[in-house]
Amino acid sequence: MRYLVRDRLLGIGEDYWIEDEHGRKAFLVDGKALRLRDTFELQDTQGRVLIDIRQKMFALRDTMVIERDGQPLATVRRKRLSLLRNHYRVSLVDDTELDVSGKILDREFVVEYDGELLAVISRRWLHLRETYGVDVVREDADPALLIAVTVCVIHLADREREDG
């Protein structure tokens, strides 16, 4: 399943619908303004919060936390010993890890679990400006989680670029 994401969705205080490949609304990203830390909610089409995304406070490195139903689900941070600046690690609460690598700022990267491809994030197949696709490759993968991971990684990479 492929989802279309407008690149401007990462602004705090901005809301944006993520559409499926047929142009139907699938998820709403709600950027919460007036918060001390960067916060987003991923909602379904009925307005139910599926995932909360928050910047972790008091972390040595920029870190985002993904929660579901108020419980931690994953932590996203840049891989510490990577020679590539565009390599992130997602640590899930069940002690599994996802690897995110590629050209994050160009919106050309992949999400893998144990060497197996879960999602491809790319602008290549799209003709819409300022839009990229999240192509969930495995049918048993959690699209909401993979979209949340994508939001976190892009947000962290953009902040790192802004901070110099």
Side-chain angles (χ1 to χ4, degrees):
M1 177 60 89
R2 185 173 293 165
Y3 298 92
L4 304 178
V5 184
R6 187 173 299 156
D7 215 5
R8 301 296 341 145
L9 88 112
L10 298 177
I12 302 300
E14 292 184 31
D15 297 347
Y16 181 73
W17 281 101
I18 296 174
E19 298 174 348
D20 68 14
E21 59 194 325
H22 305 291
R24 295 183 301 246
K25 293 177 180 176
F27 301 102
L28 176 69
V29 176
D30 184 0
K32 297 295 183 183
L34 304 174
R35 303 275 174 104
L36 291 176
R37 56 187 173 182
D38 297 345
T39 304
F40 306 95
E41 287 180 351
L42 187 63
Q43 301 174 5
D44 66 11
T45 56
Q46 285 78 43
R48 291 183 298 254
V49 176
L50 302 174
I51 295 204
D52 287 300
I53 305 167
R54 293 177 179 45
Q55 176 186 5
K56 188 171 183 175
M57 299 295 285
F58 310 114
L60 293 176
R61 290 181 291 151
D62 279 345
T63 303
M64 301 291 288
V65 176
I66 299 171
E67 297 177 346
R68 181 175 276 149
D69 298 325
Q71 299 298 313
L73 182 61
T75 303
V76 181
R77 64 176 57 96
R78 189 167 58 84
K79 194 171 179 181
R80 186 179 306 172
L81 299 175
S82 175
L83 296 176
L84 304 171
R85 289 180 51 135
N86 292 315
H87 197 156
Y88 289 78
R89 171 148 299 139
V90 180
S91 302
L92 300 170
V93 293
D94 66 1
D95 291 329
T96 60
E97 292 185 339
L98 306 179
D99 285 311
V100 180
S101 60
K103 298 177 180 178
I104 310 294
L105 295 174
D106 292 336
R107 309 314 189 241
E108 298 290 338
F109 58 97
V110 297
V111 180
E112 297 176 310
Y113 167 69
D114 203 22
E116 187 175 341
L117 188 63
L118 296 179
V120 176
I121 292 76
S122 180
R123 283 190 168 138
R124 267 181 271 152
W125 342 286
L126 302 173
H127 300 290
L128 301 171
R129 200 165 168 244
E130 300 293 323
T131 302
Y132 60 90
V134 178
D135 193 8
V136 178
V137 176
R138 284 186 46 164
E139 287 186 27
D140 62 340
D142 180 350
L145 174 62
L146 292 172
I147 289 170
V149 166
T150 301
V151 168
C152 289
V153 168
I154 290 173
H155 184 72
L156 289 171
D158 284 348
R159 283 188 54 143
E160 185 176 316
R161 181 190 64 209
E162 289 169 5
D163 292 344

